[in-house]
Amino acid sequence: ESVLLSTVGNMDIDKATTSLVSILKAFNIEVDESRKVIDMVNEVGNKFAISQEDITEILKRSSAAMREANNSLAETIALGTGAQEIQQDASRVGTALRTISMRIRGISDEGEDLTDLLPTMEKQFNAIGLTLRKDENTFKSTYEIMKDLSEVWEDLTDMQRADILESVAGKRQSQIVAALLGNFESVEEALKTAENSMGSAQAEWERF
């Protein structure tokens, strides 16, 4: 499977191997299901302004935190694609996804307790008709929260946007989250592509 990813993704075999192992472990995917991971990475890399290697770099940096925040593999790839198409810096995009998925749950990138920030963040979202939670005990996924926010983003004032970006992403990652929200149509298309990618890698392998 690593050879397949290396070939269709045009990447070094060692990088393909470590990336695949990291993704499988983070999303608790069995090894015999690894082909669906490769299909998603390959098909999205073929159809969007992001390389297969960029996708694996984003996933290596963010997968564990994104899964803990109730995101699927396809949703994580889609969010990474939307941001990477604008930023073209996979390591920063991966770090940004990890940061926002943790901050929304009250944890900093360094593992510090940010629960004092949550009431402020929830007030900001409530003020624009959105919520961070499905119910009292369950946060929405990062994908769901970003999708909700993207639908009202153009209607917000500059001040509202700045305040929400700082709360959700912190000062260092605000630019990447803003890019993601402004390119959410591509995020949704990337999600559909990832979810309907079965057979992509095998077909490309056979052509190769």
Side-chain angles (χ1 to χ4, degrees), residues 27-55:
F27 281 97
N28 198 26
I29 298 170
E30 296 295 330
V31 174
D32 59 6
E33 297 181 344
S34 58
R35 185 63 59 88
K36 72 179 183 182
V37 175
I38 301 171
D39 283 339
M40 289 184 187
V41 171
N42 185 59
E43 190 70 357
V44 173
N46 285 342
K47 293 188 174 179
F48 293 84
I50 184 172
S51 70
Q52 288 86 348
E53 188 168 343
D54 285 340
I55 295 171

Side-chain angles (χ1 to χ4, degrees), residues 5 16-29 37-38 41 55-60 63-64 67 73 77:
L5 177 58
T17 303
T18 56
S19 297
L20 190 55
V21 170
S22 174
I23 296 164
L24 293 176
K25 285 186 174 293
F27 281 97
N28 198 26
I29 298 170
V37 175
I38 301 171
V41 171
I55 295 171
T56 60
E57 178 66 23
I58 290 167
L59 290 173
K60 278 203 303 181
S63 287
R67 179 174 179 267
L73 173 61
I77 290 173

